[in-house]
Structures are given as structure tokens and as C-alpha cells.
Amino acid sequence: MKDQHLVTIEVNGREHELLLDARRTLADTLREDLGLTGTHLGCEHGICGACTVLLDDQPVRSCLVFGVQADGHQVRTVESLADGDQLSDLQQAFSDHHGLQCGFCTPGFLMLAEAYLETEPEGGPQEVREVLSANLCRCTGYQGIVEAVTVVAADRREKAAVTQRAGDA
Amino acid sequence: MLRGAGRFVGDIAHPRAYYVAFVRSPVAYGRITAIDTTRARVLPGVVAVLTSADLQDPELVAVLERPNEEFVRTAMPMLAHDRVRYAGEPIAAVVAESRYVAEDAAEQVWCDIEEFAAIMSLDELGSSAAPIHPEAPDGVLVDLTMFEDEHIAETFAAASLVLEETFRSARVSASPLEARACLAEWRARDEQLVLHASTQIPHQMRTGVAQALDLAERQVRVIAPDVGGGFGLKCVVGREEVVVAAIALRLRHAARWCEDRRENLTASFHGHEQEYRVRAAFDDDGLILSLDADIRCDIGAYSVYPFSCGVEPLMAASELPGIYKVGRYAARARGFATNKPPSAPYRGVSRPQIVLVMERLMDKAARRLGIDRIEIRRRNTIQPHEFPYTGSNGITYEPGSYVEALDLCADALKKAGWWDRRECTDGRLRGIGIINFSERTAYGTSTLSMRKMPMTPGFDVSYVCMDPTGDVVVTTGTCSQGQGHETTFAQLVADRLGIRPERVKLRQGDTNLVSFGWGTWGSRSLVIGGGAATVAARRLADQIKSVAGELLEANASDIDLVDGNAQVRGVSGSQISIDEIAATVHFRSHTLKNSGEHLLEARGMADPSGMFSNASHAALVEVDPGTGDVRVVDYIVVEDCGVVVNPTIVEGQVRGGVAQGIAAALYEELAFSPDGQPLSGTFMDYLLPTASEVPSITIHHLETPCDQTETGSKGMGEGGLIGAPAAVVAAVNDALRGYGADIDCIPIHPADVLAVLQGTSAAQGSRLQETS
């Protein structure tokens, strides 16, 4: 017997109405029902973080969230980061700092880092390392990823300060 | 990749493909007496449940063409029949309309298995009433006495110091973040089975599938799209890929499988489980007079295709002495079958172990003889003026920077203040490890033929073609899994054609689009694949120069290709753009007197014998004496891979390898219960290092150009993992120097550290023996 539910999920700013089996994961919903295959499945038990997406701005393991749990919520995936052909600052920094090799873990790291950066953190290398320890990468040894996120944190802080000064003036 | 637009096998949409789930053996060893698929078949959404007999018992046989005393031929059935030989071995395949249903149904397949006592360690060999392979009653599949020396006993008798030591390394998993995956479909129009697979070796996968399923090679097309890491685990042909292909063929319907992490950790391929019993003789000056090694590799239940189960023992015995001038050398290397998954060539292949052995011997001898540990290495190392040096293992080492790398590494750690940090008294114990090694890379056919595989890998070919707009496609039989071949191959080709790298596109990983190749493994791609591309590009450059010569009324030999133009050397203004040449050749060939074959295309081939890269590593560790926790807090690598084509990519490879090596030294270990149940089935149990466990790694480059390659480059994909375990183990022993530490087995667990601190250090060897 199928236990199906009609749900509405906003994904990357667009609303989708979906009929989902109760046990269908959010990851499978995104990948197979919506074709957003940038979200990857590396372990399917919540450790590696390759499937990290933002659920109402919070990073979650989409392999451990059921699609029906996202009913009425907003989801952001890696496909939301670039603006057309223009990479986001974070994506560009991953490229500049060799923060990826095979690229399989990259979407998860980007979304984890994006959620972290949106908290406007101090973003020192040690804190960045601790935050990024939530996810696994097997290729890079992490150094490029840590550098990329640290640099973007500093850039965004600098830009916010400039905006703040402009506002004050 | 950054946009989420990568295309891994699991990302390929196929709305009608069936999903396959495997029914796997619940026990490590036994005889299948019955398989009942009735309950699974009747579940809604289930298409078929297939056993080995349903697929005509496909199998693969991976052998070395050696006498039976050296290599025992065994087969690996694609689905187990009669016997199961490890927990997790595939017995049946469920085909269903969704992965969810397939997995439900797999749980409903009932297997009756008469269980035998599992052989889970080398100490249990011969204990079971039923040998794992009847062809090898003693469990020995490989037994190679590589070197014998009748005078070796004399050197031991005369030596000032004889060390008798045992080293072990645990069974580990390569754990690429993308596990294996495949999607198979029979395309009637093309009369081809198209197999998308996450593999490092598309052409060997083609051969393996064709052999197992009795197809002609032209009837199989293997496509490796983006591959999410491999590290060796994907350089063999898996049973699941063959079975999914067989299903697609039988049902004439697309079928797919994505390995889950539990399957990947417990039922795919493992590596590095080895034991070395070594005797080494030194004289008063610390010179190593002789080395006698008995090497035992636990190769698991089967010989893997195409490399065979000989890969670890052969590598270990032939290359153990490394950079040191070992006077006399003898080695016996064996591979034993056990009731564990088969081993595949995981990154480094025996070199992490042999470097650990040699570097520990150097540190032990230094301590016993009262010689500085860097000095003892310097004395034993092949000196710059001694190249080419042929060692007692019969290998000739071409020039490298062995002593220079060691000295530079020692200098770098001194300048970084490590010796002061080592003496810091804040309650933590600190230690420094410094090691030095070389690794043979890019093995060509002349070297690999000595292994006696029926199919000898080694060469590679490349095809370069310029289109009418002046853009270039280059093919390679190597197959990137994140090593940046798209970047480096484009650099090599563009350099020779005088165009920008952005105008060169690499095509790889499709057996219909690439004529042949041996894939990516063994630190071979840039050297052999890139070498072939370089040759092809040079020939294409000659063609371009020839056309330019005609158009510019000059000798082709006077033409240079620079900045997108062909120009007559020394004649300013006498030039034509390469784009114009490309357009002329394709669209206005009637205007050319010597238009050749009317196209701009060329082939190239490379097949070097193999060359030695070298590196010196240093690790600084901190030990928490309360918990036994070890942290690697700083790390230095001095590496020499010849001429560096792209420093960013080289450094990325080194760092990733070092991370894996640190993990092998401290964290990763596949554990089993005594009756053969895998205990490391998740990333909670099998500890891949995170960003918190891997320090920043400082890298220095030395360049000793290689004369076997046009580029002067040597291979370097594995070195990080080869050096790191030895460096970390040396550092931990140094940190525990006040407690008489003598740790020789990896991984080092906190309990091992505590045992040393508490003076009960015999624990480590026995623990690894019990659990291995």
C-alpha cells in the first residue's frame, strides 16, 4: 500500500507541487523528481554531507530529511548559487583556491559554507576548519576549501563594512 | 562542478531504467544450499530476481602467467553460486521499478547457507576444513621468491646490528566520495550494450564485460562520465557492473545500480592489509648491509580483474629497498586468500608499507647505533653521482634529488621552528617524523610485462585534431577522476601549437570516442597519456607549419607557432593566424598545392618504462597523554616529480594523498568480527579524516627532469599517501621517545599510545593480529 502525500515545496525560489511517497527522501525528491542532480549522495547516512542543502536557510542532510518534511518550506540547492553565467563569490573562490578535484563533495561544501557565511561570521581559519569538519572530502586534503571559505568570509565582511560606512555617510 | 552541473553516473536521467539491488551473503563463508526468490518476485514493482544460473554463471578470471607454485588460478563468479566467500558477496540481483522497491524485495530473498568456519586472519590459514579455493588448499594464491642471495647469511653473521622486526598495516578502503555506479542499456540500433560506469579504466571494463558476457568488444561501449574519485577502487572490474550489464542484455531494458556506502565499505574492494617480517643487518656506521623480507598480503577472497591478486605482493617484494643502497637483498612475497572482500590496487599499492618498513628500520638503527636519524639516511641513500644506480633488487634508478630533498626538508622544518615546538612543555608530547623515499610511476609495458599479466598495460595513445575554427580536440585513453587532466592536457597541447589552452578540449572516458587506452592509475596519466598527447600535438604542429610554409612562402622549419600565429622566424610581419590556416585546410584546400590528407590531425603514443619520483616528508604531531589522542599539527613535503606542468594540481594531489596517509596511520581500519562480519559499515565506524584532522601542508618543489618523457615530467599521483604513514608513525614514536616507544603497526590507536605511556606496549601487535 502506498502512503502518498501532496506537498508544496519552494525550491530555489520556485514553487513545486509534488505527490511523494512518505518514505521518499528530500535528496531523491530533488534529484529525481526535480532533476536537480547537483545535490549528491555520498553515504546516505548523514555523515559525508555531500547532500547538504539549505532548508529555510539552515544546512541539512537531504538524505536524512523526507521530502514530505519539506512541505511548505523553502529549499536551496547548489543550482541556486550562480547568477546565470556568473559564479557566486564562493564558487569563484573554490575555483581560485583549488577547493575541488573530483567535484562530488563540492555542492555539499558550497551549501554548508554558504549557510555559514550568511551568519556573517568572524571566519578565522580555525573556526572555518571546525565548521567544514561537518562534511567529508576525499580528494583535496581540505586546504583549498578552507582557504576559499576564509577568503570569502573576509571579503564579505569587508564589503558589508563598506556598505555600512556608505549608509552611515 | 561548481554549479551542480556535473554529470556523474547517478545524475544521468533515464526515466524507464530499472533499479538493481543485490542480495548479499549474510555470512563470511559457507555453501549455498537453496535460494528462494518467491516472496521477492511477487512484490508490486519487482521485474525479476536473478541468480547466477539465470545469467549463465558469468565469471572473470584474473591471472598471472606463472607456474602453479607461484600463482594459483582462481575464478571470481559474478554472482556467488555454490560457495559464498565473504559477508556481503552478491548472491542474487533484484530488478525493480524503483530503488526503494528493489531494496524491499532484496530483503525478501531467502538464502539457505551451510556455514563454514571463516578464515579471517593469516594465523587461521589451514584451520578450516574447507579451503576457500580448492585449487589452493593452503590458502596461498601467490608465492614469489623474488630475490635469493646465498651469501646473505654471512652478512648477518658479520653485522654490528641485526634488527628483526614485524610491521603490519590494516585493511583499508579507498572510499571515493562517489561510490560505484553504473547504468546499462542495450541499444538495438547500434547493436551495442552501452554501459555508463564510474570507472578509472573504461577500455578494460569493456574487455571484462565482453569476456564475461561472451560479447565482441565492438558490442560494448563503456562511458565514464564524471567520476567522483577512484584511488584504485575503480581500476578493477566489479561484479556488480557486469551483472547490471547482463541484466540489461537479458531483459533488453535499461538497468542501473548505485552502490550505497555500506556496500562500498563492506563489499567492494579493499587494500593494504599486509605483514612484513624483516631482518636487516647494519654495520657500525649505520650502513645497511642486507635485508631479508617475508611479506604476507591478505588479499581477500578473490583475484580481481584485470590486475590479479599478485599486485600487492609483487610490488612489495620488487621495490622494498627503495632509495637505500641495500647490499644484499632477499624477499619472499605471498598473497593469502581469506574470507574478506577482494583487494584492489588502492593508491600507493604496497609503497606506503615498504616506506614505513624502510624508514622505521632507519630510525631504529639510528637509535641503536647512536647516529642522527637524518645522517643515517644520508649515508644509506643513493648519492647524486651514483645515478643511474642499479640496486640489489635489479631496478635501475634514474636521477632524482634524494639527498637534496631530505636536506631541504630537514632545513624547512628547522626554519619552521619545529625543534623548539617539540620541546614545548605544556603537558602535551610532541614529536617530529622525517622520512625520505622514491616511488616508481608511470609503468610502461616493458616494466609491467615482467608481472606476466595476460593483458599487459602500459602504453597509451592520443589523437589530436584541429577543427575549421582552429579549436582542438585531444583524446586520451587515461580517465580523470578529479586530477585535472582537462587542464594539464590542454596546457601540454596548447604549448606545442602556440594557442591558448582554452581552445583545447580533452575527450576521455568513452570507448566509442577514444580508440584505446589503459585508464588512470599508477601515477601514469600526465606522463603516459599526456606524453602521447604531446607527441600527437608536436606532429600536428608540424602539419600546421607545413601549410604555413606554403602560404608564407617559407621553409616549414623556419616557422614558429606563437600566440595563435604561424610566423617566419626573424621576419617581422610575415605571419598568418592559425585560425586562418585551419579554415584554409578545411574550406579552401584547393588553394593548397600540398594539402596532404586535407585535415589537421595526428596521433601520438607513449610507453616509457617508468620513472622514479621522490619526496621527503616531515610530520609534527601532538599527543595528548591523557587520552592517547594524536594530532598531526604541521606537515612539510619536499617533492620532485620532474618538470611540473601545473603546480596547483601537483599540490592538490600531494595534499589529498597526505590526508589519506594520515588517516591510514591514525584513523582508518576495516574491522571484522571473529566470524567474519564486517564492523565498519558506515562513516561513523570507518573514520575518514575531516578538516580538523588534516593540517595545512607546506610543499616545496624540486625538479629533476626526466629523460624518458618529452615534457620532463614524472608521475606523482600517489606520493602523498606513500610517504605520510611513515612520517606520522615516526613522529608518534618520537613524541613517545621518553617511554621507549617502538610502534610498527598502523593504524596507531589511542589505546596503543596509552599502552606505551603505561609501559604495556606489547598490546599493539597482538591487537592487530587479533582483529586483522
Side-chain angles (χ1 to χ4, degrees):
Chain A
M1 190 186 68
K2 283 192 170 176
D3 178 12
Q4 294 189 316
H5 301 262
L6 188 66
V7 302
T8 305
I9 310 174
E10 188 190 308
V11 181
N12 299 340
R14 202 174 141 193
E15 209 168 85
H16 296 272
E17 209 167 66
L18 299 160
L19 186 64
L20 297 179
D21 281 0
R23 65 176 176 172
R24 193 164 185 77
T25 64
L26 178 59
D28 285 348
T29 304
L30 294 168
R31 287 175 51 79
E32 296 183 18
D33 300 329
L34 301 178
L36 296 170
T37 54
T39 299
H40 295 149
L41 289 166
C43 74
E44 297 173 87
H45 54 258
I47 303 297
C48 80
C51 68
T52 302
V53 301
L54 305 190
L55 183 64
D56 295 337
D57 303 327
Q58 295 298 311
V60 297
R61 310 294 210 214
S62 62
C63 72
L64 295 187
V65 176
F66 292 114
V68 293
Q69 289 177 282
D71 187 17
H73 295 276
Q74 295 177 336
V75 175
R76 275 190 285 158
T77 71
V78 68
E79 286 89 349
S80 71
L81 293 179
D83 181 6
D85 286 343
Q86 186 68 42
L87 293 179
S88 76
D89 54 352
L90 181 62
Q91 290 169 311
Q92 189 59 50
F94 266 61
S95 175
D96 295 343
H97 294 270
H98 200 40
L100 68 157
Q101 287 181 25
C102 83
F104 194 80
C105 71
T106 310
F109 269 104
L110 286 168
M111 298 318 288
L112 172 70
E114 183 60 30
Y116 167 66
L117 292 167
E118 286 175 11
T119 66
E120 298 175 12
E122 274 302 308
Q126 198 49 44
E127 181 179 282
V128 167
R129 270 194 186 271
E130 277 171 31
V131 169
L132 295 179
S133 296
N135 285 14
L136 295 175
C137 168
R138 192 58 159 169
C139 295
T140 64
Y142 301 104
Q143 195 158 330
I145 302 175
V146 171
E147 285 171 9
V149 176
T150 308
V151 164
V152 174
D155 282 355
R156 286 194 190 179
R157 257 202 330 276
E158 173 67 24
K159 277 186 190 132
V162 170
T163 310
Q164 176 76 35
R165 281 199 295 274
D168 291 347
Chain B
M1 288 300 167
L2 289 160
R3 297 165 191 274
R7 184 176 150 95
F8 298 90
V9 171
D11 299 340
I12 297 169
H14 196 303
R16 288 170 304 284
Y18 294 146
Y19 288 76
V20 177
F22 287 90
V23 179
R24 295 181 181 276
S25 174
V27 300
Y29 192 25
R31 192 170 65 85
I32 303 170
T33 53
I35 303 172
D36 184 354
T37 61
T38 321
R39 285 170 63 188
R41 281 175 201 277
V42 298
L43 280 184
V46 172
V47 176
V49 184
L50 302 165
T51 62
S52 180
D54 296 325
L55 300 174
Q56 283 83 49
D57 297 328
E59 64 177 29
L60 282 172
V61 182
V63 300
L64 298 178
E65 291 173 332
R66 291 172 179 269
N68 203 54
E69 307 84 69
E70 290 187 357
F71 189 94
V72 179
R73 178 193 174 97
T74 56
M76 179 163 76
M78 297 297 98
L79 289 173
H81 54 86
D82 184 35
R83 296 226 179 148
V84 288
R85 295 183 171 90
Y86 58 90
E89 179 166 6
I91 296 174
V94 175
V95 188
E97 288 170 359
S98 84
R99 186 175 170 195
Y100 292 78
V101 173
E103 291 186 3
D104 286 349
E107 289 180 1
Q108 299 297 324
V109 174
W110 179 77
C111 301
D112 191 21
I113 297 172
E114 178 196 347
E115 202 171 341
F116 304 148
I119 297 167
M120 296 307 295
S121 81
L122 301 186
D123 300 326
E124 294 164 19
L125 291 166
S127 66
S128 178
I132 295 174
H133 293 283
E135 306 91 321
D138 55 358
V140 182
L141 297 188
V142 186
D143 188 349
L144 298 159
T145 299
M146 302 277 292
F147 306 93
E148 285 176 289
D149 189 328
E150 57 192 29
H151 299 294
I152 201 163
E154 300 158 21
T155 57
F156 279 106
S160 304
L161 172 67
V162 175
L163 296 172
E164 290 199 38
E165 309 289 341
T166 301
F167 304 87
R168 292 193 191 89
S169 64
R171 178 167 277 249
V172 292
S173 161
S175 294
L177 252 278
E178 182 206 25
R180 293 179 299 155
C182 60
L183 167 63
E185 182 177 27
W186 175 257
R187 290 189 189 160
R189 184 183 173 279
D190 302 326
E191 291 184 344
Q192 254 191 340
L193 178 80
V194 179
L195 178 65
H196 284 85
S198 187
T199 180
Q200 301 169 230
I201 49 164
H203 287 90
Q204 287 62 54
M205 175 90 63
R206 180 178 76 176
T207 303
V209 168
Q211 285 181 0
L213 303 183
D214 201 19
L215 297 167
E217 292 230 4
R218 69 167 167 76
Q219 291 179 294
V220 182
R221 175 184 185 183
V222 174
I223 302 172
D226 290 326
V227 176
F231 315 113
L233 188 139
K234 297 174 182 170
C235 81
V236 293
V237 179
R239 315 162 88 171
E240 293 85 350
E241 290 101 338
V242 176
V243 170
V244 171
I247 289 167
L249 204 58
R250 179 190 161 96
L251 301 180
R252 290 290 194 263
H253 195 285
R256 73 190 313 158
W257 170 70
C258 288
E259 183 177 50
D260 69 23
R261 186 54 57 181
R262 186 179 60 158
E263 290 177 298
N264 184 261
L265 284 171
T266 64
S268 64
F269 302 100
H270 299 158
H272 290 197
E273 185 170 11
Q274 303 185 349
E275 178 195 85
Y276 291 70
R277 293 186 182 183
V278 177
R279 289 176 74 222
F282 291 82
D283 71 10
D284 279 337
D285 295 328
L287 295 177
I288 183 164
L289 304 171
S290 53
L291 180 65
D292 189 356
D294 181 14
I295 302 160
R296 303 199 299 167
C297 304
D298 179 335
I299 54 94
Y302 293 106
S303 180
V304 294
Y305 184 95
F307 292 95
S308 90
C309 57
V311 63
E312 285 197 7
L314 269 166
M315 178 75 87
S318 56
E319 306 205 354
L320 177 62
I323 61 171
Y324 298 116
K325 295 180 284 185
V326 174
R328 296 188 181 278
Y329 177 52
R332 180 186 190 189
R334 285 173 286 175
F336 295 88
T338 56
N339 290 115
K340 299 178 217 174
S343 56
Y346 174 36
R347 196 178 200 175
V349 182
S350 297
R351 272 83 52 91
Q353 288 72 31
I354 64 183
V355 172
L356 174 68
V357 169
M358 295 308 293
E359 295 305 305
R360 285 296 297 142
L361 289 175
M362 287 297 148
D363 280 350
K364 285 166 192 268
R367 194 175 64 187
R368 294 276 293 274
L369 296 168
I371 302 170
D372 175 77
R373 51 187 159 134
I374 295 168
E375 175 57 26
I376 196 171
R377 285 172 167 78
R378 226 178 260 132
R379 289 181 193 174
N380 280 291
T381 300
I382 304 164
Q383 300 295 309
H385 66 272
E386 293 173 316
F387 293 113
Y389 175 87
T390 301
S392 50
N393 55 347
I395 291 176
T396 299
Y397 297 78
E398 85 282 7
S401 53
Y402 301 172
V403 178
E404 192 183 353
L406 177 69
D407 288 343
L408 180 53
C409 194
D411 189 48
L413 73 89
K414 190 174 170 189
K415 283 181 180 152
W418 284 20
W419 293 112
D420 294 335
R421 289 165 75 182
R422 179 174 178 261
E423 303 309 325
C424 177
T425 51
D426 59 354
R428 285 175 182 269
L429 305 168
R430 289 180 179 76
I432 294 170
I434 178 164
I435 60 102
N436 200 22
F437 66 97
S438 72
E439 46 164 329
R440 183 146 49 166
T441 65
Y443 296 75
T445 55
S446 59
T447 303
L448 287 172
S449 62
M450 290 190 261
R451 289 191 183 174
K452 305 195 188 303
M453 292 165 69
M455 300 187 301
T456 301
F459 67 89
D460 239 290
V461 293
S462 177
Y463 166 74
V464 178
C465 176
M466 182 172 276
D467 74 13
T469 57
D471 280 2
V472 170
V473 169
V474 53
T475 72
T476 181
T478 60
C479 186
S480 177
Q481 317 109 49
Q483 297 93 336
H485 296 173
E486 296 83 352
T487 305
T488 47
F489 280 56
Q491 278 181 262
L492 292 175
V493 170
D495 270 1
R496 271 134 199 94
L497 297 177
I499 59 176
R500 285 178 288 115
E502 304 89 86
R503 302 200 64 181
V504 181
K505 179 72 184 164
L506 180 67
R507 184 183 286 161
Q508 58 182 345
D510 184 334
T511 59
N512 269 23
L513 298 179
V514 177
S515 55
F516 192 70
W518 288 99
T520 285
W521 47 270
S523 304
R524 69 188 301 275
S525 296
L526 193 277
V527 174
I528 305 182
T534 306
V535 172
R538 174 165 52 74
R539 291 177 177 159
L540 175 58
D542 288 343
Q543 294 175 17
I544 294 169
K545 288 176 189 173
S546 168
V547 177
E550 182 179 338
L551 295 173
L552 297 171
E553 296 179 351
N555 278 329
S557 58
D558 294 332
I559 305 277
D560 290 329
L561 304 180
V562 182
D563 296 335
N565 293 310
Q567 57 193 42
V568 183
R569 199 173 306 122
V571 182
S572 111
S574 182
Q575 64 176 43
I576 182 170
S577 77
I578 291 173
D579 294 0
E580 181 62 26
I581 292 170
T584 304
V585 168
H586 288 89
F587 299 150
R588 295 183 293 281
S589 64
H590 61 281
T591 64
L592 294 169
K593 285 198 285 291
N594 306 309
S595 54
E597 295 185 6
H598 291 275
L599 285 175
L600 295 171
E601 59 181 6
R603 278 189 185 283
M605 196 267 243
D607 187 12
S609 62
M611 66 292 296
F612 285 86
S613 289
N614 65 278
S616 179
H617 288 208
L620 176 66
V621 303
E622 283 181 8
V623 174
D624 181 331
T627 63
D629 184 43
V630 178
R631 294 277 155 168
V632 181
V633 294
D634 211 344
Y635 206 97
I636 296 169
V637 174
V638 177
E639 71 81 37
D640 185 343
C641 62
V643 174
V644 174
V645 173
N646 185 312
T648 302
I649 285 174
V650 166
E651 290 174 9
Q653 288 294 308
V654 170
R655 292 197 172 100
V658 168
Q660 285 175 318
I662 289 172
L666 297 174
Y667 307 114
E668 294 180 17
E669 177 175 10
L670 291 160
F672 292 85
S673 73
D675 61 351
Q677 290 299 319
L679 302 177
S680 312
T682 73
F683 280 153
M684 286 293 276
D685 313 299
Y686 189 78
L687 302 177
L688 263 58
T690 74
S692 290
E693 283 82 46
V694 183
S696 282
I697 297 161
T698 305
I699 300 172
H700 302 272
H701 298 283
L702 292 171
E703 281 196 357
T704 307
C706 174
D707 62 9
Q708 293 181 41
T709 57
E710 283 203 16
T711 56
S713 304
K714 305 176 180 183
M716 54 73 50
E718 299 168 275
L721 173 49
I722 291 170
V728 173
V729 170
V732 173
N733 278 303
D734 186 46
L736 303 176
R737 59 195 174 278
Y739 300 85
D742 197 14
I743 296 175
D744 290 328
C745 300
I746 55 172
I748 302 171
H749 289 230
D752 303 324
V753 172
L754 292 176
V756 171
L757 294 171
Q758 291 154 10
T760 53
S761 59
Q764 201 212 19
S766 57
R767 176 183 62 75
L768 274 169
Q769 222 157 11
E770 279 162 22
T771 57
S772 63

